[in-house]
Amino acid sequence: MSASERFHELLRRRAAGGGHDDGARLALAIEGGGMRGAVSAGMVIAIHELGLTGAFDAVYGASAGALNGVWLLSGNPADGLRPYADPGLIRQYIRRSNALRGKPVVDTAHLVGHLYEHVLPMRWDAVLAHPVRFHPLATDVETGRAADLGPAIRDRASLKLALRATTALPLLAGPPVVIDGRRYLDAGLAESIPFHAALAAGATHVLVLRSRRAGEAASAPGRVGAALGAALLRRIDPAVARAFLARAPREAADEALLARHEADPDLRPHILSVRPAPDSPVPARLDKDVAVVAAGLEAGRVALHAAFDAWA
């Protein structure tokens, strides 16, 4: 049996109730990317539909990927994630005109504090009690490095704060979020594909849900955009500016590493990625085109089902 087949067998056996006493540590890592996270949201819905949630030991999420992960562990991901394509809800937390009024363009405080309480009720207690541990990532402002906020989650309030931190887009979502005396911004500045954190915690197998098609990668900002962005971020902290400028080459290195694992399944730790099909629609970061967002979500759901069928 090849390494790839053993990975698939581990997933299938655990999903069938085989227990976790097999010496492996299986993590789920979920990429975000703003509204592009609709793609990995569709994959999360498929994981729930296939009954795979309990096969994992931990769920790692970056930015919108963390929102997808928390809905998976809530037990009703379709209820919380299909509204990605609800135009009324999108308008409530993405408002470009807010920039003219000095308010957040991406209001994740409203998303987590209001929508997840009163419009799309989150089962917070189910997430906190779930045997699969939740690890949202964020960027530590003082270091510019990715930080695992899982250990800071103790109750409903701290879970909400962690969700705000992982999605705190610099300059768009307001000031950094403070947790236990440290300031945090959106995970994507430091680790947008959150598999490194899983590996650092001892994962032997990582299933990575991608929101980009094969061959797509983060593009570096132009010279003017890079200079302006870095100048604005230095007002928060120079470390954040450095993380911003290093983002494209860092993600290129991550893509190369994931490609090596895809080409050679015997590499350890074992990393398996699921991507949307090459011709799939993928929303832009702040996309408000409901048809594109809905199609991206469905493309992710179909991609995960197709991958599981191939493994069976």
Side-chain angles (χ1 to χ4, degrees):
M1 183 181 292
S2 71
S4 180
E5 290 171 332
R6 288 195 296 272
F7 191 125
H8 304 157
E9 178 60 28
L10 170 66
L11 188 61
R12 289 195 299 269
R13 186 188 62 77
R14 284 190 173 190
H20 291 222
D21 55 345
D22 45 31
R25 180 170 175 79
L26 176 57
L28 180 67
I30 311 174
E31 182 181 13
M35 295 306 290
R36 197 178 69 239
V39 176
S40 54
M43 296 178 184
V44 160
I45 291 172
I47 283 177
H48 177 73
E49 290 172 341
L50 292 167
L52 299 177
T53 306
F56 299 96
D57 294 294
V59 171
Y60 292 80
S63 193
L67 299 182
N68 297 342
V70 79
W71 277 106
L72 174 65
L73 298 180
S74 77
N76 60 336
D79 293 346
L81 297 178
R82 287 200 177 277
Y84 254 104
D86 185 317
L89 295 180
I90 293 173
R91 284 193 296 271
Q92 287 196 46
Y93 65 90
I94 299 180
R95 296 180 181 177
R96 291 182 175 88
S97 61
N98 274 358
L100 302 175
R101 298 191 289 268
K103 296 182 178 180
V105 173
V106 183
D107 193 349
T108 54
H110 179 77
L111 176 69
V112 173
H114 177 74
L115 296 182
Y116 284 4
E117 284 286 356
H118 306 294
V119 182
L120 305 169
M122 170 72 67
R123 298 172 183 170
W124 304 106
D125 292 340
V127 178
L128 293 166
H130 207 291
V132 179
R133 306 314 300 164
F134 180 49
H135 296 267
L137 303 187
T139 300
D140 187 310
V141 167
E142 279 71 29
T143 66
R145 298 175 181 172
D148 178 0
L149 299 181
I153 296 174
R154 299 175 291 272
D155 51 24
R156 180 182 295 209
S158 57
L159 174 54
K160 289 182 181 180
L161 204 58
L163 292 178
R164 286 185 54 203
T166 188
T167 56
L169 289 167
L171 310 177
L172 293 179
V177 175
V178 178
I179 297 176
D180 295 338
R182 298 194 69 83
R183 295 180 298 156
Y184 296 99
L185 285 170
D186 186 275
L189 278 169
E191 187 172 344
S192 61
I193 314 170
F195 66 94
H196 289 292
L199 297 178
T204 59
H205 298 71
V206 184
L207 179 64
V208 185
L209 305 186
R210 301 299 313 275
S211 60
R212 288 192 177 101
R213 293 165 292 214
E216 293 182 334
S219 57
R223 187 167 62 179
V224 174
L228 178 59
L232 292 172
L233 289 171
R234 284 191 193 98
R235 298 178 182 178
I236 301 174
D237 195 282
V240 173
R242 290 193 294 270
F244 167 71
L245 292 173
R247 179 176 176 179
R250 184 179 59 249
E251 290 197 20
D254 285 347
E255 294 287 0
L257 189 153
L258 292 173
R260 289 196 296 274
H261 279 267
E262 185 173 345
D264 183 1
D266 286 323
L267 286 177
R268 297 188 179 187
H270 303 297
I271 306 174
L272 183 66
S273 298
V274 178
R275 291 180 180 265
D279 58 349
S280 299
V282 173
R285 179 176 291 275
L286 297 180
D287 210 321
K288 297 179 73 173
D289 186 324
V290 173
V292 173
V293 175
L297 188 145
E298 183 60 16
R301 195 186 74 83
V302 168
L304 195 287
H305 273 284
F308 189 77
D309 289 345
W311 302 338

